[in-house]
Every structure is written in structure tokens, then in C-alpha cells.
Amino acid sequence: MLSLIKKSLKVLNKSNNKDSVLLIFPSGWSLNYGASHIGLPLIKSYLNNAGINCEIRDLNLESASHYNISITNDELLPFKSNFNVDNAYEVYFSVSDKLDQIAKRYNGKWKIKSGFVFNGCDLSSSIDIEEFSKIASPFTDFYRKNLIPEIAEKQYPIIGISVTVPSQLLSAFEIFRLLRGSGYNGLLILGGNTITRLGNALYLDWIFDIVDCVVLNQGEETLKLIVQSIKNENSFENIPNLIWKNGDKLKYNGYKKLEVSQFSMPDFNGFPINKYWGINYLPMISARGCYYGKCKFCSIPYAWGNNGFVGLDNPNNVLESIQNNISEYGIHNFSFVEETMHPKTIQDISRQIGRASCRERV
């Protein structure tokens, strides 16, 4: 493990961005959601508050833009005043057809809502993920010409990739392979909702041949402690939520939840806000996990932690974040993306919005 620390420390000391962490949301997420995923903006805010510079990139629109494919505001403008289902479908399927034509060159399918996957690739098979992530994809040219050179120029000592849906697995491992092939020697970290759900299935040699660490559940504190451990040349032994290679053995340090006092509101700076397809909005969150937690059929909240619930945020923080983002991006549309909102939270936020509206009218 000491060699891993020394390797990362060497890269950090040579880097132009000594205190920088780059977090990547890889291609494979839906292209028409109107917003980013909230995960990396939450981590970015937490790390920045801890004095660690964190940059984030959403490669979904970037990879589509590489092929000059988009749904523009001009195309959507008629639907804002006079919605027409048939015409809306025409715009949607026109773009979908273009993506599918590109995918056919790579013997696969590239859907707006579900990302790219090779024909014959079972995303639930680790064998298929390993083999198909070695094959050139629709994103390879974009990664080689844009992403990899930019990373090389900025010399990030730590790079993390967040996988939220299975279709992002191929992109994540392709990026890791391209980075290692380009000579990148920094720390490569894998995390995200899907990675947390896979859990024990990740104890595979081929994964840790290209990835240094895997983060489960919430990654905020884990990433902060990784940065601090590298700087202080300490072991990763006591860093929670981390799978790492200790000598020849893979070790999981165990779960630790993020305390409510440590919650951060999302920081979207670095994502292409106002450029997402469709009506743009921003995702917000007032709770980590599900406070109810009694539905036997539902496993969704358990990506947050062992019991599926971490805690409720202060409604004042939520409202302040909404107001700041309105000022920053001119967006007035927000979507709460948590599993379920506590009734008291709904009441508190609603009352505060009402009071704020009254003050503006006065």
C-alpha cells in the first residue's frame, strides 16, 4: 500500500493542480433529462468546503456534441407555447435515429434514454464488461482527442468516475484503460450508485489491474480522507467505505455514514447547465435515503447506506441553495430527486418559499 501512496504523492507533487480532484460522470446516462445527475455536484461542494479543489465533468452531452448531435432550443421553442405530440416525437426520433446510425458502426445500440451498449453484451456479466470495455466504442475518438489530452495537460493527481446506471460501466472502464495506456500514473477511483449495488461482485483482479480504489455508498468523506492520506503519506487503513488493495489482498474498510452536519448542497459549476436537452432544471435534495424505509420490495435507498436512510437536511439550506442557483443560472425549475420527502420538510420549504415570495412583492 505504501507504494500506492508514494506513487500518488509523486504525481501530486509534480502536478500543476496539486489539490485538485477530477470527478467524471461517464457517457451512458440519458441525454434528454434536462439536467445533470446530482451525485458529483454534492461531492464537489463537500470537497470544496474542505479546502480541496474538485472539478466535475459530464461527458454525456460532450460525447454527443462530438458528433454535432443535439436538440436545440429553436427546435423546442414551438412546443413551449403550443405543444404538439406528433411534432415532438419527430424531433425526438430524428435524434434517436442519428445516434442509432452511429452505434451500428460499432455493432451496438445508442439510445437517448439508456445509453450505448454493444450487441451481445450482457451488462450484468463481469466477463462481458471486461471484454467489451476493451473494444472501440462511439466514445473512443472523443476520449482520445479531447478527454485524455486535457487530463494530461492539467495533471490531476486523483481521478474518480461515478457509475450510476449499468450502461456507464463500459464507458468507465474504457476511460480507465485509455488513461493507463496514455501513461497516467495518478490514483484512479471507481464509485457511484451502481458500483455500491455491485459490492462484493467487484472483488476481481482485472478491475484492480486498472483501478486503485473502489468507493461504496457516499463518497464525500472517503475522497477527502484519501487526499489527506496521500499528502501525509498515511495508509488507507482507516478510510471508510473503501475497497483497496493491501499488498496482494483486497480489503474493505467497512461502512460509515455521513453525518447530517456534513451534508453539502450541490455545486453544479463545471457541468453544462442551461445546455441540456429539453427544458432545463436543476436537481435538489433534502434527504439522504428514505426516512420511511419499510417497503420490502424496494432496494433503492440502500445505496445510501446499511439501513437506507442517512438523515434530513436543514430546509433553510435547501431554500438557500435554490435561491443561489436561480441567481447563478437563471433557472427557476427544480426537481427533488430523493426517494421520498418527509412531510415536515415539504411544509417547511413551502412556507419559506411563500414568505420569500411575499417579501419580494412587498
Side-chain angles (χ1 to χ4, degrees):
M1 182 59 211
L2 189 58
S3 60
L4 180 60
I5 292 286
K6 287 184 175 179
K7 179 192 78 168
S8 302
L9 185 63
K10 184 177 180 181
V11 173
L12 187 146
N13 287 334
K14 290 173 61 178
S15 172
N16 296 326
N17 291 314
K18 283 185 169 31
D19 295 324
S20 289
V21 175
L22 173 64
L23 300 180
I24 295 172
F25 198 61
S27 304
W29 179 256
S30 172
L31 285 167
N32 71 329
Y33 262 51
S36 68
H37 189 273
I38 198 171
L40 295 190
L42 287 173
I43 297 175
K44 172 184 172 66
S45 180
Y46 178 92
L47 292 180
N48 287 349
N49 290 338
I52 299 169
N53 181 49
C54 177
E55 298 180 24
I56 55 176
R57 288 185 67 168
D58 184 347
L59 301 185
N60 292 278
L61 287 189
E62 291 188 45
S63 57
S65 298
H66 180 70
Y67 289 100
N68 295 316
I69 295 176
S70 66
I71 298 178
T72 66
N73 286 332
D74 289 342
E75 291 174 300
L76 295 171
L77 196 58
F79 306 123
K80 294 182 179 179
S81 57
N82 184 24
F83 184 76
N84 183 304
V85 174
D86 292 334
N87 290 344
Y89 277 142
E90 184 178 339
V91 172
Y92 180 92
F93 285 115
S94 173
V95 172
S96 184
D97 288 343
K98 291 177 183 177
L99 293 174
D100 210 36
Q101 287 301 313
I102 294 169
K104 286 179 180 178
R105 302 178 208 163
Y106 298 89
N107 190 30
K109 295 182 176 67
W110 186 0
K111 301 299 182 184
I112 290 178
K113 287 189 174 182
S114 57
F116 173 82
V117 64
F118 291 101
N119 294 329
C121 176
D122 180 357
L123 292 176
S124 66
S125 166
S126 61
I127 295 174
D128 281 11
I129 295 297
E130 178 185 10
E131 292 306 315
F132 280 93
S133 64
K134 298 176 182 177
I135 301 172
S137 75
F139 315 119
T140 306
D141 190 52
F142 164 69
Y143 293 155
R144 284 179 172 160
K145 289 182 177 179
N146 299 88
L147 180 66
I148 305 302
E150 290 172 17
I151 288 175
E153 179 183 354
K154 293 191 176 182
Q155 297 180 315
Y156 298 99
I158 299 172
I159 297 175
I161 298 182
S162 177
V163 175
T164 299
V165 291
S167 57
Q168 291 178 300
L169 286 166
L170 294 173
S171 285
F173 287 113
E174 180 179 13
I175 293 170
F176 284 136
R177 293 183 193 281
L178 290 172
L179 283 169
R180 289 303 190 209
S182 71
Y184 179 81
N185 290 319
L187 199 71
L188 294 181
I189 303 173
L190 179 64
N193 190 301
T194 291
I195 300 305
T196 296
R197 295 179 186 284
L198 290 172
N200 293 335
L202 298 168
Y203 288 74
L204 300 170
D205 288 337
W206 73 265
I207 291 179
F208 284 86
D209 284 343
I210 54 176
V211 173
D212 296 304
C213 306
V214 171
V215 176
L216 305 182
N217 303 112
Q218 298 173 91
E220 287 95 323
E221 185 180 14
T222 305
L223 286 171
K224 182 187 77 172
L225 293 175
I226 286 174
V227 173
Q228 292 175 349
S229 292
I230 292 173
K231 284 185 175 181
N232 298 323
E233 298 189 58
N234 293 331
S235 169
F236 288 175
E237 191 75 38
N238 297 315
I239 299 177
N241 305 332
L242 189 70
I243 303 176
W244 55 289
K245 202 165 188 176
N246 185 12
D248 295 328
K249 294 183 178 180
L250 293 176
K251 180 178 181 180
Y252 175 51
N253 290 348
Y255 168 72
K256 179 184 177 184
K257 75 173 185 177
L258 195 67
E259 298 300 326
V260 174
S261 61
Q262 297 175 305
F263 290 174
S264 295
M265 285 290 105
D267 180 347
F268 298 98
N269 186 29
F271 277 1
I273 306 303
N274 276 317
K275 294 182 180 178
Y276 286 91
W277 298 358
I279 305 300
N280 276 223
Y281 66 90
L282 288 176
M284 294 301 298
I285 194 166
S286 66
R288 296 345 187 237
C290 177
Y291 73 89
Y292 185 68
K294 296 179 182 179
C295 300
K296 300 298 184 184
F297 61 84
C298 181
S299 64
I300 291 174
Y302 285 86
W304 291 101
N306 290 344
N307 64 359
F309 180 62
V310 182
L312 301 172
D313 208 329
N314 187 327
N316 293 331
N317 296 337
V318 179
L319 183 61
E320 182 181 357
S321 180
I322 290 174
Q323 292 171 328
N324 289 341
N325 282 299
I326 290 173
S327 299
E328 178 77 16
Y329 301 109
I331 287 180
H332 290 76
N333 301 312
F334 295 86
S335 174
F336 284 86
V337 296
E338 58 220 59
E339 280 66 53
T340 183
M341 285 186 72
H342 195 284
K344 186 178 185 305
T345 301
I346 297 174
Q347 290 175 345
D348 288 346
I349 293 176
S350 298
R351 288 194 189 103
Q352 291 193 46
I353 290 175
R355 293 190 192 109
S357 298
C358 288
R359 285 195 296 269
E360 288 181 7
R361 286 196 294 270
V362 171

